[in-house]
Amino acid sequence: MAPERTYHDRMVRESGAAPATAGSSSQDNILNAARALIGDKGYDGMAISDLSARSGLPPSSIYYHFGNKFGVLAALLERTFEEMHGLFPSPSSFDDLEPLDRLEAWFTAACRSLDQRPDYLRLLVAISVGPHKDADAVQQTVRRVRDYAHASWVDALTPIFAPNGGKNNQAVVEQLAVLGRALTDGLSVTNSFDGLSYSSQVAPFVALIRGLAEQRRGTAKRKR
């Protein structure tokens, strides 16, 4: 599922003064600079002058493409969503495996992607709790990212805990999907401060899921 509108659709202004490829390159330079600066200083600590110095482009170019500093943030979030969507695997990519092995293969691939680009989730988590978290442009993009992640967790867990449906089973899947998202959110902080990789937590988390699945199967058998 691709985003309905990209940051290029919303932010690029039509102009005959420069080729479109040059405009796109300038925008990418500005957004790359913004991502690095937000990681170093936070959004509030990032000034247009910082963006100009880091990107090598004049402030007028930043205002032209994005309007203001918040426009840069909104466009960066949109681009991050696009990049994450392209980078992360779908659980359905592993449909040839048994349910628990399918979960492990998907989570391993997802964590490997996060280890390659830890700045993605750090940025989203930081902005989700930052001073602009209630702005419509921020909420919409962050919500789409989180809804996509939640749906992926539900897809990965359903064959294990609710292959035949059932209200109680589906409730367990929803709860575990929230736990899975919370795990990766928390690991973004742990990765930043302690250098602990996402991939290092695949085995213990999958072991917990396996244990819970076995426990529920045992309980179901005793009730028959």
Side-chain angles (χ1 to χ4, degrees), residues 24 36 63 84 115 123 127 184 187 196:
S24 297
Y63 289 120
M84 290 183 73
D115 283 333
L123 172 69
I127 291 173
T184 51
L187 282 173
L196 189 67

Side-chain angles (χ1 to χ4, degrees), residues 98-183:
E98 291 298 314
L100 280 164
D101 293 334
R102 177 179 182 266
L103 168 70
E104 183 172 14
W106 167 75
F107 192 39
T108 297
C111 286
R112 189 179 299 123
S113 296
L114 285 170
D115 283 333
Q116 291 170 356
R117 293 302 303 266
D119 53 311
Y120 285 167
L121 198 52
R122 287 178 199 162
L123 172 69
L124 289 166
V125 171
I127 291 173
S128 296
V129 298
H132 296 283
K133 63 182 176 63
D134 295 325
D136 286 344
V138 171
Q139 282 200 342
Q140 289 174 12
T141 303
V142 170
R143 175 47 52 199
R144 276 194 294 161
V145 173
R146 298 187 69 74
D147 285 349
Y148 175 75
H150 186 81
S152 295
W153 275 106
V154 169
D155 185 0
L157 292 162
T158 295
I160 301 171
F161 294 101
N164 301 313
K167 186 176 180 180
N168 291 338
N169 292 336
Q170 290 172 341
V172 170
V173 168
E174 289 290 332
Q175 292 167 353
L176 289 174
V178 172
L179 179 62
R181 284 192 294 119
L183 171 67

Side-chain angles (χ1 to χ4, degrees), residues 22-100:
S24 297
S25 177
S26 295
Q27 290 175 74
D28 286 337
N29 287 342
I30 293 165
L31 294 179
N32 289 339
R35 177 175 282 159
L37 287 167
I38 291 174
D40 293 342
K41 300 184 174 186
Y43 174 74
D44 285 345
M46 179 184 72
I48 292 294
S49 58
D50 296 323
L51 278 173
S52 176
R54 191 75 170 245
S55 67
L57 295 165
S60 59
S61 181
I62 298 168
Y63 289 120
Y64 172 78
H65 287 299
F66 301 105
N68 53 36
K69 192 174 81 165
F70 184 75
V72 175
L73 175 64
L76 179 58
L77 278 173
E78 191 73 45
R79 190 181 76 167
T80 299
F81 174 77
E82 294 174 19
E83 292 173 340
M84 290 183 73
H85 191 276
L87 184 66
F88 275 66
S90 167
S92 62
S93 302
F94 308 97
D95 281 350
D96 57 319
L97 301 176
E98 291 298 314
L100 280 164

